Amino acid sequence: MSVVVTRYRGGGPQYMNASSTSPKPVVGEPSIRTHALHALAYCERLFYLEEVEELRVADAAVFAGRRLHVQLQEEGEHVELELASEALGLHGRVDAVKTREGTLVVYEHKRGRHAPGGDAPEAWPSDRLQAGAYALLVEERFPGAPVECRVRYHQTDTTVRFPLDAALRGAVVAAVARARLLRASRERPPVTQEERKCAKCSLAPVCLPEEERQVVGEERPRLFPEDDVRQVLHVATPGTRVGRAAEELVVTPPEGEGAPSRQPGRMVSALIAHGAVQVSAQALAYCVENDIGVHWFTSGGRYLGGLGGGAGNVHRRLRQFEALRQASVCLGLARRLVAAKLEGQLRFLLRASRGDSESRQVLASAVRDLRALLPKCEEAPSLEVLLGLEGAGAARYFGALPYLQGEDVDTRLRFEGRNRRPPRDRFNAVLGFLFGLVHREVEAAIRAVGLDVAFGFYHQPRGTAGPLGLDVMELFRVPLADMPLVASVNRRAWDADADFEVTSEHVWLSKAGRAKAIELYERRKRETWKNNVLGYSLSYARLVELEVRLLEKEWTGKPGLFATFRLR
Ligand code: SF4
């Protein structure tokens, strides 16, 4: 291992160059996490998202950093020391402090590479700031002893040494002051100008920097992941129990229905209980702790609600409430939403390639009428007018939908009009079930983003369904429910007897039918598709979350991207 001595070099944000010989006491306010100064020096928006909005995403680099610290502890290299100072306004856990010839040496371990220097390797400005903050805490705890900083970069096996000099002291004091200012602000800072930083930032999928920059018309790389590698665990057999064993969820079917199965918790994004399924308190606690959403459906497919995934603090909701209390904001968003829904229906009808001339005439006429409604959405003076336009569009769309079905489709699976609560035919039984799954997907995404499902911009509160969930769901009814269902009926994927339970009052999906609908939906969600506005491919599952994040950008960043995607 080489050891390199360097002097402090500025180069980060403005406060990195501030000069002061001693920290100014700041009393009374909650202190700043020392680690947060690292984020602050990297990007002020990152600091704000983590410290103010309480968003944290553990990506591969974060896990690797945690593993390094565990390894160092096991090797006896890493002795954490908790320190706090009201005068400095800081608290934190220093990696290690050692005595070297009468000097207290503060060690900070980093997994990556050192910064390139002129004559010798350098520490990155954010690492210097963090180590300097720890050094000030150590100096206060052990007064009188000289203190030095060392940052060890494990990838390059180098250690960079630098003194706790006046410039570094001043930089820490200025950074704490800046952090406090940002913490008190309701405004999220803009994305960093240094774009290369975003490619390495764990919060890029939440921050969406390239989407924000793209609004000004430049081509950008995509940082939003194409798909979520974790699976949704559906439990649809009545009487099944879900428990926990160490880091796994254990699904035990009722007696005589097979052996228990185990799912590693890290591979599960959500647990969905359909009907009479028991989830143990231990499994629930594990899910909440590990950011695994838990959702309940009735056996008939109605979404009852869910737990978990509530990222972010009150600031995000306050901004949502402030924005959506303005009638003009709601109307603008609702116009775009209804136009997107009508255009989705129109594009689906345009795909029809089957049928006789009568079918084609009906479809062409419906397409014409839907197209005529689009400009009216842009000019709609009120939500009531939009509701009327949406209703007119639905009548034309559902009137034409039977003409998308093949002539050889079992008559019992033909669509002859929308009905629900309860569904009275097989097509509507599946459609209602799929809508329930879409609703769950959207509500989970809204919670994950940290918004309140109860505060929407178009739908009015009704039942247990949150208006914002119902709003956003309008974008996904066609691609996630109508399209896969019509396609599956046309390829005769359904058994009109075995997949349904039919009474004179209603038609429900049978156990086999539910399993088929779940598989159809999950497969559809994983299909990737190129976003026409952002120019990159992503799965429908990710698209739902992306749309919710773009909705939030309508009031926290650059507006104009929500509800602009279109089906091919
Ligand atoms: S993605 Fe870029 S702009 Fe957003 S927080 Fe990270 S570094 Fe900052």
Side-chain angles (χ1 to χ4, degrees):
M1 182 186 76
S2 57
V3 177
V4 183
V5 183
T6 66
R7 295 192 60 74
Y8 172 73
R9 188 184 71 164
Q14 193 60 47
Y15 46 79
M16 291 294 295
N17 294 320
S19 70
S20 164
T21 49
S22 62
K24 304 270 183 305
V26 195
V27 182
E29 262 187 78
S31 57
I32 302 283
R33 274 190 330 135
T34 307
H35 186 73
L37 295 187
H38 188 273
L40 181 80
Y42 191 78
C43 167
E44 291 197 344
R45 187 174 170 96
L46 176 64
F47 167 84
Y48 192 87
L49 290 173
E50 286 191 340
E51 299 304 312
V52 181
E53 300 199 21
E54 297 171 12
L55 286 169
R56 303 222 165 83
V57 175
D59 65 2
V62 172
F63 280 117
R66 286 182 195 162
R67 276 199 301 276
L68 169 67
H69 283 86
V70 170
Q71 186 192 332
L72 290 170
Q73 265 169 351
E74 286 166 359
E75 291 168 1
E77 270 283 308
H78 189 251
V79 188
E80 287 183 345
L81 182 62
E82 286 271 358
L83 295 166
S85 162
E86 201 173 332
L88 292 166
L90 280 170
H91 68 272
R93 203 181 293 161
V94 61
D95 280 354
V97 182
K98 295 181 182 173
T99 310
R100 295 279 183 270
E101 295 164 4
T103 297
L104 289 173
V105 180
V106 171
Y107 279 88
E108 181 59 25
H109 289 272
K110 297 293 176 193
R111 201 177 51 86
R113 311 167 67 85
H114 57 73
D119 307 327
E122 297 267 357
W124 297 99
S126 49
D127 297 340
R128 285 180 175 278
L129 191 67
Q130 188 182 4
Y134 285 130
L136 281 173
L137 285 168
V138 168
E139 184 184 62
E140 189 187 272
R141 172 70 72 88
F142 306 102
V147 182
E148 182 192 291
C149 307
R150 295 187 190 182
V151 182
R152 184 171 168 207
Y153 292 96
H154 286 254
Q155 196 177 335
T156 46
D157 200 15
T158 45
T159 299
V160 180
R161 294 169 57 177
F162 48 95
L164 177 61
D165 59 14
L168 186 51
R169 289 169 191 275
V172 174
V173 173
V176 171
R178 179 69 184 153
R180 288 194 144 137
L181 211 66
L182 286 173
R183 202 170 55 179
S185 165
R186 295 265 291 275
E187 294 298 317
R188 193 186 278 178
V191 296
T192 175
Q193 299 292 313
E194 297 172 79
E195 292 174 32
R196 63 184 169 76
K197 288 184 171 178
C198 301
K200 292 187 176 166
C201 175
S202 64
L203 281 192
V206 173
C207 166
L208 301 182
E210 77 281 22
E211 284 77 1
E212 187 123 349
R213 293 178 185 123
Q214 193 166 21
V215 176
V216 292
E218 296 163 47
E219 289 255 321
R220 301 285 166 185
R222 60 88 56 72
L223 298 175
F224 193 75
E226 178 165 333
D227 202 359
D228 187 348
V229 292
R230 299 182 303 163
Q231 304 287 319
V232 175
L233 178 59
H234 289 268
V235 185
T237 304
T240 300
R241 285 173 291 123
V242 181
R244 175 201 174 173
E247 298 300 308
E248 292 180 322
L249 290 171
V250 183
V251 181
T252 309
E255 218 175 313
E257 299 219 22
S261 63
R262 288 167 173 260
Q263 305 287 335
R266 66 175 194 288
M267 295 308 294
V268 179
S269 64
L271 165 66
I272 302 189
H274 296 264
V277 169
Q278 259 184 37
V279 185
S280 74
Q282 290 83 350
L284 280 176
Y286 176 78
C287 289
V288 170
E289 202 181 330
N290 289 280
D291 200 22
I292 300 170
V294 186
H295 302 266
W296 286 270
F297 281 77
T298 63
S299 51
R302 188 162 59 83
Y303 181 48
L304 293 173
L307 262 187
N313 76 350
V314 70
H315 280 68
R316 319 192 81 192
R317 293 182 182 211
L318 284 175
R319 283 196 297 252
Q320 176 191 357
F321 299 152
E322 275 167 18
L324 299 185
R325 278 169 56 188
Q326 299 171 47
S328 60
V329 173
C330 292
L331 182 59
L333 290 171
R335 281 175 178 156
R336 241 189 283 160
L337 180 80
V338 175
K341 178 179 178 179
L342 294 180
E343 208 169 328
Q345 294 172 334
L346 183 157
R347 285 173 183 248
F348 184 30
L349 297 184
L350 273 174
R351 285 182 173 199
S353 58
R354 56 179 81 230
D356 52 21
S357 65
E358 186 209 331
S359 303
R360 285 200 291 275
Q361 270 182 18
V362 172
L363 289 167
S365 150
V367 164
R368 226 179 8 256
D369 290 351
L370 283 168
R371 197 167 270 144
L373 292 173
L374 290 175
K376 294 182 183 166
C377 292
E378 285 165 28
E379 296 154 10
S382 67
L383 296 182
E384 290 69 31
V385 172
L386 274 172
L387 279 168
L389 294 171
E390 186 195 358
R396 295 301 284 128
Y397 170 70
F398 284 119
L401 206 56
Y403 294 89
L404 295 184
Q405 294 191 294
E407 283 162 14
D408 50 352
V409 163
D410 187 326
T411 50
R412 291 172 295 173
L413 283 157
R414 286 208 157 274
F415 177 67
E416 287 171 350
R418 185 83 180 97
N419 59 65
R420 59 201 178 124
R421 294 194 185 164
R424 294 186 294 280
D425 59 64
R426 289 167 176 79
F427 191 97
N428 277 293
V430 189
L431 192 61
F433 188 85
L434 293 177
F435 282 161
L437 295 178
V438 178
H439 186 193
R440 194 288 311 167
E441 196 83 41
V442 169
E443 284 215 354
I446 290 170
R447 289 204 180 92
V449 172
L451 300 182
D452 190 336
V453 291
F455 211 84
F457 55 88
Y458 182 48
H459 286 84
Q460 298 306 309
R462 67 174 157 85
T464 53
L468 191 61
L470 295 172
D471 290 348
V472 177
M473 187 183 160
E474 296 300 346
L475 295 174
F476 297 102
R477 287 181 189 269
V478 172
L480 286 180
D482 300 5
M483 289 170 81
L485 174 56
V486 169
S488 68
V489 169
N490 281 343
R491 58 172 188 271
R492 296 197 285 280
W494 297 91
D495 182 328
D497 295 313
D499 292 339
F500 300 91
E501 288 170 5
V502 182
T503 71
S504 56
E505 307 285 307
H506 62 246
V507 179
W508 298 132
L509 283 167
S510 66
K511 184 180 160 194
R514 271 203 303 275
K516 212 174 260 183
I518 288 168
E519 207 217 318
L520 178 72
Y521 177 75
E522 291 295 332
R523 206 171 341 109
R524 177 64 172 171
K525 255 175 55 186
R526 302 237 163 262
E527 281 176 27
T528 55
W529 158 92
K530 188 166 180 188
N531 188 301
N532 57 304
V533 178
L534 302 172
Y536 53 67
S537 296
L538 73 171
S539 67
Y540 281 105
R542 297 298 287 166
L543 179 64
V544 173
E545 185 192 323
L546 178 65
E547 277 302 314
V548 178
R549 294 201 183 283
L550 294 178
L551 172 63
E552 197 201 11
K553 274 192 181 293
E554 295 291 328
W555 53 83
T556 57
K558 298 269 174 65
L561 288 174
F562 171 69
T564 53
F565 82 88
R566 294 292 183 264
L567 298 172
R568 273 196 303 272

